[in-house]
Amino acid sequence: MMLTETGSDSFVAELRAQSRRYHDQHTFSRRMNEGRLSPAQIQGWVANRFAYQASIPRKDAAILANCPDREVRRRWIRRIHDHDGTADGEGGIEAGGIEAWLRLGEAVGLTREEVEDERHVVPGVRFAVDAYVTFARSRPWVEAVASSLTELFAPDLMADRLAAFERHYPWIDPHGLAYFRARLTQAPRDSEHALQVVTERCRTPDQRAAAVAALTFKCDVLWSMLDAIDRAYPDR
Ligand code: AHQ
């Protein structure tokens, strides 16, 4: 049964309703934005989130590999360039998100080496990140696209986080925050495309339920990462 346009509005509303499970509600995010985290907790978060950032290009490559639609691939591949960069040493943050995250690591007092070798990544983060990549490799590609729709909720989080870092963590070199500034424009661009793909391709109740389930799964990935980080770096 094909759903009508009104069905599409309720579908988008159901996707957006998943924001109640987004990790900006997690105690670690809340304490971060309230300025209550220690340097060790910030460093632990940056070092562990690198495992997630470094996995995004492989997750997106898995979607490309499963996607038969050239138009979708032509836009989706930009995500890999955003994260990996497109050439060594290419201007500053245009080098890509992963390079910018390494600079964030240096800005919070970590060495590039200890971030890149992932020595600080805790098992719960490793398993959540691996689950996300495996989901993209093994589920229908539209479901993997739907799982990226957490980025519908990211711009507000990024803006709040930027303001919080500038206000509460003056010991962090502000140049290291360029990653979050880049996401302020990349995330809405990416989520707009992902939402277009998901609403165009998910027309039946079962397809729409699977898309909502994919987004719920991804919210759990992000939430469990913060559970593991919060436990590994408790308030002292
Ligand atoms: O820095 C983030 C990023 O590059 C991505 C890619 C996207 C995806 O494909 O799932 N999701 C995502 C996210 C990033 N940052 C998170 C944060 O809180 O800093 C938010 C996260 C997301 O909302 O999925």
Side-chain angles (χ1 to χ4, degrees), residues 164-235:
F165 271 52
E166 288 164 350
R167 179 174 173 202
H168 299 301
Y169 304 107
W171 55 271
I172 298 174
D173 176 353
H175 292 95
L177 305 181
Y179 180 84
F180 302 128
R181 290 194 186 88
R183 293 309 297 170
L184 283 174
T185 50
Q186 288 170 348
R189 182 203 71 199
D190 289 349
S191 58
E192 179 193 344
H193 178 224
L195 190 59
Q196 174 199 330
V197 169
V198 169
T199 50
E200 284 173 357
R201 306 289 174 137
C202 297
R203 312 297 289 185
T204 69
D206 286 352
Q207 289 169 337
R208 291 182 169 179
V212 171
L215 184 48
T216 303
F217 159 78
K218 171 64 176 312
C219 286
D220 290 348
V221 165
L222 295 172
W223 194 274
S224 57
M225 283 170 60
L226 287 184
D227 281 347
I229 293 167
D230 199 11
R231 184 168 179 79
Y233 296 90
D235 290 343

Side-chain angles (χ1 to χ4, degrees), residues 6-77:
T6 50
S8 179
D9 292 346
S10 63
F11 175 43
V12 171
E14 196 177 356
L15 290 169
R16 290 191 182 280
Q18 300 311 306
S19 63
R20 66 178 178 277
R21 305 168 67 112
Y22 192 51
H23 66 169
D24 60 345
Q25 319 279 317
H26 192 286
T27 171
F28 194 86
S29 276
R30 289 181 181 283
R31 294 189 343 262
M32 177 184 285
N33 287 358
E34 290 162 2
R36 293 166 51 199
L37 296 186
S38 67
Q41 289 172 311
I42 295 285
Q43 289 175 342
W45 176 75
V46 172
N48 274 271
R49 266 291 304 275
F50 179 80
Y52 176 81
Q53 300 303 145
S55 77
I56 293 296
R58 292 187 291 117
K59 180 272 295 185
D60 288 327
I63 292 172
L64 287 175
N66 291 336
C67 176
D69 185 302
R70 177 169 166 267
E71 276 311 306
V72 171
R73 292 199 306 267
R74 278 156 55 112
R75 280 188 67 181
W76 201 266
I77 200 165

Side-chain angles (χ1 to χ4, degrees), residues 70-89:
R70 177 169 166 267
E71 276 311 306
V72 171
R73 292 199 306 267
R74 278 156 55 112
R75 280 188 67 181
W76 201 266
I77 200 165
R78 285 172 58 177
R79 294 163 176 253
I80 297 179
H81 296 154
D82 284 345
H83 286 85
D84 283 341
T86 48
D88 275 345

Side-chain angles (χ1 to χ4, degrees), residues 59-192:
K59 180 272 295 185
D60 288 327
I63 292 172
L64 287 175
N66 291 336
C67 176
D69 185 302
R70 177 169 166 267
E71 276 311 306
V72 171
R73 292 199 306 267
R74 278 156 55 112
R75 280 188 67 181
W76 201 266
I77 200 165
R78 285 172 58 177
R79 294 163 176 253
I80 297 179
H81 296 154
D82 284 345
H83 286 85
D84 283 341
T86 48
D88 275 345
E90 197 166 71
I93 303 310
E94 294 71 49
I98 291 173
E99 174 58 32
W101 196 273
L102 289 169
R103 292 180 193 179
L104 172 63
E106 291 176 301
V108 302
L110 297 165
T111 65
R112 288 175 71 96
E113 184 190 9
E114 68 183 308
V115 176
E116 273 190 304
D117 69 16
E118 301 191 6
R119 68 185 71 169
H120 299 301
V121 175
V122 295
V125 169
R126 170 69 56 217
F127 296 145
V129 168
D130 289 352
Y132 188 28
V133 177
T134 301
F135 185 91
R137 286 176 176 156
S138 57
R139 301 297 303 166
W141 70 274
V142 176
E143 288 182 35
V145 169
S147 70
S148 75
L149 283 172
T150 40
E151 285 207 287
L152 287 171
F153 322 131
D156 294 344
L157 168 63
M158 292 296 164
D160 293 347
R161 184 184 294 157
L162 264 172
F165 271 52
E166 288 164 350
R167 179 174 173 202
H168 299 301
Y169 304 107
W171 55 271
I172 298 174
D173 176 353
H175 292 95
L177 305 181
Y179 180 84
F180 302 128
R181 290 194 186 88
R183 293 309 297 170
L184 283 174
T185 50
Q186 288 170 348
R189 182 203 71 199
D190 289 349
S191 58
E192 179 193 344

